Amino acid sequence: MSQKLRVTVWNEFRHEKENEKVRAAYPDGIHQAIGEGISGNVEVAYATLDEPEHGLTEERLQNTDVLIWWGHKAHKEVQDEIVKRVQDRVLQGMGLIVLHSGHFSKVFKALMGTSCDLKWREADEKERIWVVSPGHPIVEGIGEYIELEAEEMYGEHFDIPQPDELVMVSWFEGGEVFRSGCTFHRGQGKIFYFRPGHETYRTYYNDQIRRVISNAVHWAAPTTREYPKYGNHKPLEAIKAKG
């Protein structure tokens, strides 16, 4: 795309206000750290839970090419009307990047059609994120793996549909593994789920994590195809009478 890619980063923005440890990790908010790490020809906007319509008005979403979603403690507070609005935009072609505990968001669960549940543990343990699809554009510029010295553990079984592509797999110091980089297509939209990013760790300042998110944003950019026409359709050719 020759024009700037319009990216909206959505964040609950609750933990940073309520928890000193989270505020110390992300003094300007998790959304700001994510947005500042996106490279390329992009225009970044921000939206948060406590704004009117959660910051995701019809106008905002119509002017968003790729939406990044980070949520954790207030999934149930997201209005169903806004969830449907986001889901419809994805089906129409808007890209969606779901990060870390956004796996339990209403938006992701609606698009996956499963519980999206998993195992988890907070123990300051090492995570090694292995690239298992080295030719994929989302991992362009990434080596064989990304190593994080301390992260929250997510473990299998991860209750999601079979991913269209499995790009990255995590191993944790406690022994678990996890499908940590998965792509999906829904309607005309492309979705990438990326696991790391617990709120008390400065993961979103890591250069390689930022590179993956940037790559994913450009991968998920909408195509220029027109949205298909549905419903009753007139024949393209004359239909001969039968009998």
Side-chain angles (χ1 to χ4, degrees):
M1 298 176 70
S2 56
Q3 63 184 25
K4 285 189 175 182
L5 193 62
R6 300 166 301 178
V7 180
T8 298
V9 184
W10 190 90
N11 173 28
E12 287 177 357
F13 199 32
R14 290 277 184 85
H15 277 285
E16 301 93 322
K17 298 175 182 178
E18 300 168 359
N19 185 299
E20 182 56 42
K21 190 174 181 181
V22 179
R23 185 161 50 248
Y26 295 101
D28 298 318
I30 290 170
H31 51 298
Q32 289 286 339
I34 293 168
E36 290 166 5
I38 301 171
S39 59
N41 190 26
V42 297
E43 178 181 286
V44 180
Y46 300 96
T48 58
L49 178 67
D50 292 324
E51 295 177 58
E53 300 181 64
H54 308 319
L56 299 175
T57 62
E58 292 276 9
E59 181 180 9
R60 164 57 60 198
L61 286 175
Q62 288 299 324
N63 288 290
T64 297
D65 297 312
V66 180
L67 175 65
I68 299 176
W69 192 280
W70 194 98
H72 180 67
K73 66 181 296 183
H75 297 311
K76 292 181 180 179
E77 295 184 42
V78 178
Q79 299 171 23
D80 291 341
E81 177 186 354
I82 306 303
V83 173
K84 181 66 164 56
R85 188 180 294 173
V86 172
Q87 183 180 17
D88 287 347
R89 280 289 293 129
V90 172
L91 297 178
Q92 293 163 7
M94 181 183 74
L96 178 66
I97 314 299
V98 177
L99 299 175
H100 191 59
S101 47
H103 73 90
F104 239 12
S105 65
K106 288 183 179 180
V107 167
F108 190 61
K109 291 199 288 187
L111 287 160
M112 295 298 105
T114 57
S115 76
C116 301
D117 213 342
L118 45 77
K119 296 181 179 70
W120 64 274
R121 174 178 63 241
E122 290 184 51
D124 292 347
E125 60 195 286
K126 181 186 295 183
E127 177 181 6
R128 193 170 288 136
I129 309 170
W130 287 93
V131 173
V132 295
S133 183
H136 201 285
I138 287 178
V139 289
E140 178 69 29
I142 302 300
E144 288 191 320
Y145 60 86
I146 300 171
E147 190 161 305
L148 302 174
E149 285 303 314
E151 252 292 354
E152 180 183 22
M153 185 280 292
Y154 280 5
E156 295 287 347
H157 176 246
F158 186 17
D159 186 24
I160 54 172
Q162 184 70 22
D164 293 334
E165 301 162 301
L166 181 58
V167 183
M168 310 179 86
V169 172
S170 287
W171 165 90
F172 291 90
E173 195 173 346
E176 292 82 5
V177 295
F178 190 77
R179 288 169 289 169
S180 53
C182 305
T183 72
F184 306 88
H185 291 74
R186 293 292 184 270
Q188 287 188 266
K190 289 175 278 187
I191 302 168
F192 180 59
Y193 173 76
F194 190 38
R195 196 220 72 82
H198 186 62
E199 64 273 7
T200 59
Y201 305 113
R202 290 174 59 84
T203 300
Y204 293 124
Y205 295 105
N206 180 289
D207 289 340
Q208 290 180 294
I209 298 299
R210 285 182 159 188
R211 180 66 184 268
V212 170
I213 294 171
S214 290
N215 289 344
V217 162
H218 293 280
W219 169 84
T223 66
T224 56
R225 285 185 59 86
E226 290 185 8
Y227 190 65
K229 295 179 176 64
Y230 297 106
N232 186 266
H233 191 261
K234 293 182 179 180
L236 300 179
E237 302 176 24
I239 299 173
K240 296 178 181 179
K242 301 297 189 295

